[in-house]
Amino acid sequence: MLELKNVTFAVQTEFGEKKIIDNISLKIDEKFVAFTGPNGGGKSTLAKLIMGLYKPTSGKIYFDGTDITEMSITDRSKLGIGYAFQAPVKFKGITVRDLISIASGKKLNVTEICSYLSQVGLCAREYVDREVNNELSGGELKRIEIATAMAKSPKLTLFDEPEAGIDLWSFNNLISVFEKLEEQTNGSILIISHQERILNMAQRVIVITSGKVSQDGPKDEILPGLLSANVCKTLADNM
Amino acid sequence: MSELSAIQKNMLKEIAGYEEIPEGAYNLRSNGALAGRRTTANIDIQTKTDKPGIDIIIKPGTKNERVDIPVILTETGLDDLVYNDFYIGEGADVLIVAGCGIHNAGGLKSEHDGIHAFHVGKNAKVKYVENHYGEGEGTGEKILNPTTEVEIDEGGYMEMETSQIRGVDSTYRKTKAKLGDRAILVIREKILTHGHQKATTDFLVDLDGVDSGAHVISRSVATEDSYQKYISCVNGNNRCNGHTECDAILMDNGQVDAVPMVNAHTTEARLIHEAAIGKIAGEQLDKLMTLGLTEKEAEEEIVNGFLR
Ligand SMILES: Nc1ncnc2c1ncn2[C@@H]1O[C@H](COP(=O)(O)OP(=O)(O)OP(=O)(O)O)[C@@H](O)[C@H]1O
Ligand SMILES: [Mg+2]
């Protein structure tokens, strides 16, 4: 479904060129894949490269066999790629109803919009005509972002730390929402997460460290190591 | 009232959202002359005798009534100047819908300058909605220069919602207000200019009364080669709250100048000014494009939301 071939993304800094993504090659056909790894490792950057928000410095990206490396965000979206941002974008005047309608590609009635919102634990009717702006709390924005990605129902959805800022009760619901999504979708779900319970749902876990794939394999092989030794090692390294 | 032409009906739709004037008091001015009027038991409308224009007199205590005063210009080369005075009686609660539509099919300039004075009585509440719109295949300029002067007595409340979306070549909008004790004024203005249009909006608010308050919120979009200027001056002359906000989106070669002034003349005045001018944020476009919109569609969506 998705293939990255020698993808590098470099930026110019005052200290010279910095490779944020460093020659990553990956092939993903699984239904549920999780990306994890230390802060600043390059996970969000990788997601933005896949969605087309950034263009790679070198390398190729293929989706269902098509070379999408030079494709616009819009065209990738139309091909069936979706991305729920780590930091949701705020607008002035655009409402929750607008966003979810745009995502689903048709005018939705209140009941349909509510069904997406209640999945993410938002008491729907109150939110339909709220503006997606600063007046919403961080957690509310995050849930609307997830509901929007679901309304789009793409073949490949990237969720960037969907659990961040979401309270415990809703977190449990979020897990079941992703379980349901996994059952229903005939595409792939790629989740970037630091949460054990989310990583646990994945078939495959990929660890991104300093712009490279440092570990990659079935959940049962990767998770135990991550949860014990690596955490201590990272902590020790930082000391 | 004589039957309206298709053009007139369309103008009404653009400026007021209807083709037939709704129930209630109204005064329709078309091409510089009276084209229809209705008064009610509580709302009187009289033609001025000393100069062009009307007096709208709303009895104290009038509740839940509306007055519509649309102006339509469909002849090219017309230069129309009117003085409208609104007297809103003590304790009244009314809606006033004004608006001016110019359809200029010719090569001459068409201009309408409305000078509106509002006398908002003690504890009265008024919402004033004004839409400006221009259209027409002619090369003649469409010019609107509205002046609004507001005086709000003790405890009075006025909300002004004005909008000028497309079609007006040149506009100089002046709004002056004087507020008494506990009087509140809320102004929401929306302007979209395109082509070589120019629009200036100029607010002067005197917060004279104790605990008076004003919120002036302007949202504007300057596209193509158009130019806008936002001037606001809020004087805090007593214990008061003043807040002005100028939020502008620039597109193409659009230009916006903002000249905000907040003058506190006593230590008890609290005045805030916010201004943000710039292009549409890249991440907003990106987000909507990830949902499948093209860049152009995303821009439209963002501008429509912004001006809603
Ligand atoms: N456009 C950019 N220009 C310069 N540096 C960037 C840019 N985007 C990201 N970076 C840097 O690249 C690194 C990777 O960032 P990225 O956001 O991809 O990390 P992440 O793995 O998602 O981290 P987190 O877990 O904190 O979300 C960081 O050091 C970041 O500061
Ligand atoms: Mg990240």
Side-chain angles (χ1 to χ4, degrees):
Chain A
M1 163 156 279
L2 180 74
E3 186 174 4
L4 279 70
K5 270 191 186 157
N6 305 103
V7 172
T8 293
F9 179 68
V11 294
Q12 294 304 324
T13 71
E14 51 188 311
F15 311 108
E17 199 191 64
K18 183 186 169 203
K19 285 180 179 158
I20 296 175
I21 294 297
D22 189 0
N23 196 25
I24 287 188
S25 294
L26 277 174
K27 228 181 139 176
I28 293 172
D29 288 303
E30 293 82 354
K31 227 176 168 188
F32 202 122
V33 177
F35 287 88
T36 191
N39 292 135
K43 302 176 295 297
S44 295
T45 306
L46 196 62
K48 288 175 184 167
L49 285 162
I50 296 167
M51 187 71 241
L53 297 162
Y54 298 156
K55 295 273 161 71
T57 314
S58 62
K60 293 268 179 212
I61 304 173
Y62 299 88
F63 181 65
D64 280 343
T66 313
D67 182 353
I68 61 164
T69 318
E70 293 305 320
M71 246 185 213
S72 69
I73 302 172
T74 310
D75 289 340
R76 292 181 203 216
S77 166
K78 290 191 170 144
L79 270 188
I81 304 177
Y83 177 37
F85 289 25
Q86 182 171 3
V89 177
K90 287 169 229 160
F91 294 90
K92 280 179 178 159
I94 289 189
T95 60
V96 173
R97 178 201 294 264
D98 294 335
L99 271 193
I100 294 184
S101 297
I102 294 168
S104 74
K106 52 179 187 279
K107 269 239 158 315
L108 298 178
N109 61 38
V110 177
T111 321
E112 291 166 310
I113 292 171
C114 285
S115 74
Y116 288 113
L117 291 176
S118 43
Q119 279 190 48
V120 292
L122 286 177
C123 183
R125 263 162 224 279
E126 276 173 40
Y127 285 92
V128 174
D129 289 314
R130 292 271 307 258
E131 286 186 24
V132 184
N133 64 16
N134 278 324
E135 288 168 24
L136 290 166
S137 78
E140 287 169 332
L141 282 166
K142 198 73 198 181
R143 296 182 200 201
I144 290 162
E145 182 74 7
I146 296 165
T148 305
M150 286 175 171
K152 188 175 180 293
S153 69
K155 273 194 256 174
L156 175 82
T157 325
L158 298 145
F159 290 95
D160 200 341
E161 298 193 24
E163 76 278 10
I166 290 196
D167 57 62
L168 259 182
W169 182 86
S170 312
F171 180 67
N172 290 332
N173 280 286
L174 200 64
I175 300 273
S176 55
V177 165
F178 282 120
E179 279 165 357
K180 246 193 11 229
L181 197 64
E182 190 190 359
E183 275 169 34
Q184 289 165 357
T185 185
N186 42 15
S188 288
I189 303 166
L190 269 54
I191 297 198
I192 298 171
S193 178
H194 299 288
Q195 272 292 333
E196 184 190 346
R197 281 184 63 195
I198 289 187
L199 301 180
N200 230 326
M201 292 166 65
Q203 288 140 6
R204 176 178 169 193
V205 175
I206 302 171
V207 186
I208 307 286
T209 313
S210 309
K212 290 185 159 73
V213 175
S214 59
Q215 291 179 71
D216 180 1
K219 163 189 78 183
D220 301 332
E221 280 175 25
I222 307 290
L223 266 192
L226 269 188
L227 293 171
S228 52
N230 275 358
V231 176
C232 303
K233 187 167 167 286
T234 321
L235 280 176
D237 284 351
N238 286 343
M239 302 276 273
Chain B
M1 176 173 121
S2 54
E3 192 57 30
L4 295 174
S5 72
I7 288 180
Q8 286 178 317
K9 282 186 174 175
N10 184 51
M11 302 261 70
L12 273 182
K13 200 166 172 54
E14 288 294 342
I15 60 174
Y18 50 71
E19 290 184 3
E20 304 288 344
I21 293 167
E23 288 288 296
Y26 80 88
N27 189 88
L28 172 65
R29 183 179 178 87
S30 180
N31 292 320
L34 179 65
R37 174 179 297 170
R38 190 197 292 136
T39 59
T40 68
N42 293 323
I43 301 178
D44 194 21
I45 303 176
Q46 291 170 1
T47 304
K48 279 189 189 295
T49 49
D50 55 336
K51 51 192 176 187
I54 50 175
D55 286 332
I56 292 137
I57 301 140
I58 297 167
K59 277 195 190 154
T62 304
K63 297 267 192 246
N64 300 322
E65 285 199 45
R66 67 182 277 166
V67 196
D68 285 78
I69 49 157
V71 173
I72 297 170
L73 266 71
T74 52
E75 283 170 14
T76 185
L78 210 68
D79 196 340
D80 193 22
L81 170 70
V82 285
Y83 296 84
N84 295 336
D85 280 84
F86 300 81
Y87 297 90
I88 296 129
E90 198 175 316
D93 183 350
V94 290
L95 168 69
I96 299 170
V97 181
C100 179
I102 302 185
H103 178 100
N104 191 350
L108 300 172
K109 143 186 127 146
S110 296
E111 178 166 343
H112 174 79
D113 300 336
I115 299 172
H116 291 174
F118 287 86
H119 309 274
V120 181
K122 214 169 142 181
N123 298 321
K125 212 177 144 189
V126 57
K127 178 165 177 172
Y128 174 65
V129 181
E130 180 190 274
N131 291 320
H132 282 168
Y133 173 74
E135 64 170 32
E137 49 290 357
T139 52
E141 276 199 298
K142 299 170 279 291
I143 301 174
L144 290 169
N145 293 322
T147 299
T148 308
E149 288 186 23
V150 177
E151 260 187 58
I152 310 179
D153 289 348
E154 199 182 323
Y157 175 92
M158 179 161 174
E159 199 178 320
M160 261 177 88
E161 245 182 61
T162 63
S163 78
Q164 177 178 314
I165 310 293
R166 300 192 166 269
V168 180
D169 294 296
S170 164
T171 198
Y172 196 111
R173 171 187 289 279
K174 250 199 171 113
T175 308
K176 269 199 209 168
K178 261 179 125 48
L179 274 66
D181 291 350
R182 295 187 310 285
I184 304 283
L185 173 67
V186 178
I187 301 176
R188 283 194 203 90
E189 181 176 87
K190 294 180 241 174
I191 302 181
L192 182 143
T193 51
H194 58 106
H196 289 277
Q197 298 176 347
K198 286 187 170 42
T200 299
T201 184
D202 183 347
F203 298 100
L204 172 63
V205 180
D206 275 300
L207 295 169
D208 293 341
V210 66
D211 293 330
S212 56
H215 302 274
V216 179
I217 299 147
S218 151
R219 284 199 170 176
S220 65
V221 179
T223 72
E224 297 171 0
D225 297 303
S226 66
Y227 169 79
Q228 294 186 26
K229 186 165 185 174
Y230 168 94
I231 305 164
S232 78
C233 175
V234 174
N235 296 316
N237 304 322
N238 206 325
R239 192 173 77 202
C240 63
N241 277 298
H243 170 229
T244 71
E245 192 181 316
C246 162
D247 221 330
I249 292 181
L250 301 174
M251 293 169 79
D252 315 309
N253 302 311
Q255 291 182 34
V256 172
D257 292 345
V259 191
M261 245 194 290
V262 279
N263 307 316
H265 297 142
T266 129
T267 51
E268 296 298 302
R270 280 190 69 242
L271 305 175
I272 297 171
H273 174 73
E274 297 172 80
I277 303 175
K279 282 197 298 203
I280 295 177
E283 58 165 22
Q284 292 184 346
L285 290 172
D286 284 352
K287 179 69 227 180
L288 296 188
M289 283 157 70
T290 67
L291 301 180
L293 299 189
T294 62
E295 187 167 350
K296 190 113 199 66
E297 290 166 342
E299 272 180 10
E300 275 167 25
E301 199 66 48
I302 290 164
V303 167
N304 288 343
F306 184 71
L307 293 177
R308 184 149 48 202

